[in-house]
């Protein structure tokens, strides 16, 4: 199994912080433990209650949230708690000693058009994936996953999943008017029966085109301008394209040519308006916010 990496995320309540994993911890359930006796179903929660400042432990989806007593500040202990949780999750010890039963979970799914006429966005009322995932073909999918099942529809070309939605790009053999209801119903039923989207054989953001994957640079290894570009994309661009069922990923920056290369995913890939978005939106913003550093933005796929 892939190892868990924990990220510390503050909440609106300063007494509570979330320790988010890059994998799901529990599906379709939420657990709240008020004390060490209450936490008997979870050895990890019981272990956490040995810390004198722990008031309440919540376990749901891909995170563990902890509420503290006011005897300490989170800044003093959060790194140690993160390490403790990460070590436990990466051991062979069970998170929960609860018999899980397969059960249907009420799910709603609605279809939403995107600026790309070939792509429809199917939005659920629950979290579907922890990490954004792209499937360029059936070869990228794993057995017994929703992504593999969707490729049984001959008109499905590419799939992109993020948070609570799935964007599907189709071939021209069918119109969305003909197939939207069928796909929406299929996704709804599959999720209700516990189907998972599944992991791609490529990490999200590393696929340029079918059969060609790349290794993206790690943020900490980037130069200062590249880091600024990534931060601008994350803060100003990604939320907008995500609402349209797509994603944009930083690939590289050339200091000599002052050119930024990006990878387009989901509804952004192959979208007729993507060139205009790059030029009039992203390129203009990067020029204005990084004067003299960026002259051009190019998509290396899509």
């Amino acid at each position: 199994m892939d190892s868990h990496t924990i990220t510390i995320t503050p909440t609106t309540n300063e007494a509570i912080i979330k320790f988010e994993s890059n994998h799901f911890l529990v599906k379709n359930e939420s657990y709240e433990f008020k004390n060490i006796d209450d936490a008997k179903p979870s050895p990890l929660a019981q272990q956490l209650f040995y810390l004198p400042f722990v008031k309440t432990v919540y376990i749901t989806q891909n995170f563990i949230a902890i509420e503290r007593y006011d005897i300490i500040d989170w800044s003093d202990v959060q790194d140690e708690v993160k390490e403790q949780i990460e070590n436990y999750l990466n051991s062979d010890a069970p998170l929960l000693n609860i018999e899980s039963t397969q059960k249907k979970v009420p799910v709603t799914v609605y279809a939403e058009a995107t600026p790309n006429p070939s792509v429809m966005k199917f939005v659920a009322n629950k979290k579907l994936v922890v990490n954004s995932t792209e499937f360029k073909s059936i070869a990228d999918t794993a057995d017994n996953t929703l992504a593999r099942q969707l490729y049984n529809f001959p008109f499905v070309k590419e799939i992109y999943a993020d948070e609570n939605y799935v964007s599907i790009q189709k071939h021209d053999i069918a119109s969305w008017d003909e197939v939207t209801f069928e796909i929406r119903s299929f996704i709804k039923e599959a999720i209700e029966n516990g189907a998972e989207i599944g992991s791609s054989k490529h990490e999200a953001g590393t696929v340029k085109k079918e059969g060609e994957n790349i290794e993206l640079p790690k943020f900490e290894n980037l130069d200062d301008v590249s880091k600024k570009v990534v931060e601008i994309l994350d803060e100003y661009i990604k939320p907008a394209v995500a609402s349209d069922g797509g994603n944009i990923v930083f690939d590289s920056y050339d200091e000599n040519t002052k050119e930024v290369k990006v990878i387009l995913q989901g509804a952004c890939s192959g979208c007729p308006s993507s060139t205009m978005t790059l030029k009039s939106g992203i390129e203009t913003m990067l020029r204005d916010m990084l004067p003299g550093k960026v002259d051009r933005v190019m998509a290396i796929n899509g």
Side-chain angles (χ1 to χ4, degrees):
M1 181 180 176
D2 293 335
S3 61
H4 290 267
T5 301
I6 298 299
T7 302
I8 299 171
T9 305
T11 70
T12 54
N13 184 338
E14 64 178 19
I16 300 175
I17 62 172
K18 292 161 61 175
F19 297 88
E20 295 188 342
S21 172
N22 56 330
H23 300 290
F24 277 109
L25 302 179
V26 296
K27 285 290 193 73
N28 308 326
E29 297 284 353
S30 296
Y31 302 91
E32 179 180 344
F33 305 112
K34 294 289 189 181
N35 54 57
I36 195 167
D37 289 331
D38 195 27
K40 285 180 181 178
S42 173
L44 173 57
Q46 283 197 313
Q47 183 176 306
L48 290 169
F49 275 110
Y50 280 98
L51 302 172
F53 54 83
V54 171
K55 181 178 181 181
T56 308
V57 177
Y58 309 87
I59 302 176
T60 187
Q61 296 188 50
N62 68 313
F63 66 85
I64 295 170
I66 300 177
E67 182 180 8
R68 63 168 173 78
Y69 287 106
D70 291 336
I71 58 175
I72 53 94
D73 291 325
W74 271 122
S75 58
D76 297 327
V77 296
Q78 62 185 23
D79 290 334
E80 289 81 0
V81 176
K82 169 192 169 181
E83 183 178 1
Q84 182 175 336
I85 291 174
E86 198 168 75
N87 289 340
Y88 186 93
L89 292 176
N90 287 319
S91 71
D92 292 329
L95 175 62
L96 295 160
N97 293 323
I98 297 174
E99 292 279 339
S100 61
T101 57
Q102 186 94 10
K103 63 179 182 180
K104 281 199 171 187
V105 177
V107 173
T108 60
V109 176
Y110 68 87
E112 185 177 290
T114 75
N116 188 340
S118 296
V119 177
M120 188 69 71
K121 180 180 177 184
F122 297 88
V123 185
N125 64 332
K126 66 185 294 277
K127 194 179 184 75
L128 301 179
V129 294
V130 175
N131 303 305
S132 59
T133 311
E134 185 176 39
F135 308 89
K136 287 289 189 180
S137 73
I138 193 171
D140 291 337
T141 65
D143 292 337
N144 302 316
T145 60
L146 177 54
R148 172 68 60 87
Q149 294 168 19
L150 285 169
Y151 272 108
N152 288 329
F153 294 95
F155 52 82
V156 172
K157 182 179 180 181
E158 296 181 11
I159 300 168
Y160 175 78
D162 196 5
E163 291 290 335
N164 66 326
Y165 71 85
V166 180
S167 290
I168 297 178
Q169 184 171 162
K170 67 172 181 63
H171 291 287
D172 292 336
I173 60 172
S175 70
W176 282 120
D177 289 341
E178 297 169 331
V179 299
T180 295
F181 179 78
E182 182 180 12
I183 289 288
R184 185 187 68 80
S185 299
F186 181 84
I187 293 174
K188 178 180 184 296
E189 184 175 352
I191 295 171
E192 285 178 337
N193 286 306
E196 297 184 7
I197 300 296
S199 298
S200 171
K201 293 178 182 178
H202 308 292
E203 289 297 320
T206 63
V207 180
K208 288 183 181 178
K209 58 186 178 182
E210 187 175 343
E212 180 184 1
N213 63 295
I214 57 176
E215 188 69 29
L216 292 178
K218 295 184 181 297
F219 181 83
E220 58 268 22
N221 296 332
L222 297 175
D223 59 82
D224 291 342
V225 175
S226 295
K227 287 181 179 179
K228 284 290 186 181
V229 170
V230 172
E231 290 170 354
I232 292 169
L233 291 177
D234 287 348
E235 184 173 357
Y236 298 101
I237 307 299
K238 284 194 175 187
V241 298
S243 67
D244 288 333
N247 190 31
I248 184 168
V249 180
F250 173 81
D251 176 77
S252 62
Y253 167 71
D254 189 316
E255 183 179 5
N256 295 321
T257 62
K258 299 180 182 179
E259 180 180 87
V260 172
K261 291 182 179 179
V262 297
I263 299 171
L264 304 178
Q265 296 179 306
C268 295
S269 179
C271 179
S273 62
S274 62
T275 300
M276 182 180 68
T277 301
L278 283 172
K279 296 300 177 185
S280 65
I282 301 170
E283 190 173 272
T284 300
M285 179 176 291
L286 290 177
R287 281 177 172 176
D288 291 344
M289 299 183 76
L290 298 171
K293 300 295 184 182
V294 175
D295 283 343
R296 186 170 63 163
V297 176
M298 295 289 292
I300 56 177
N301 73 333

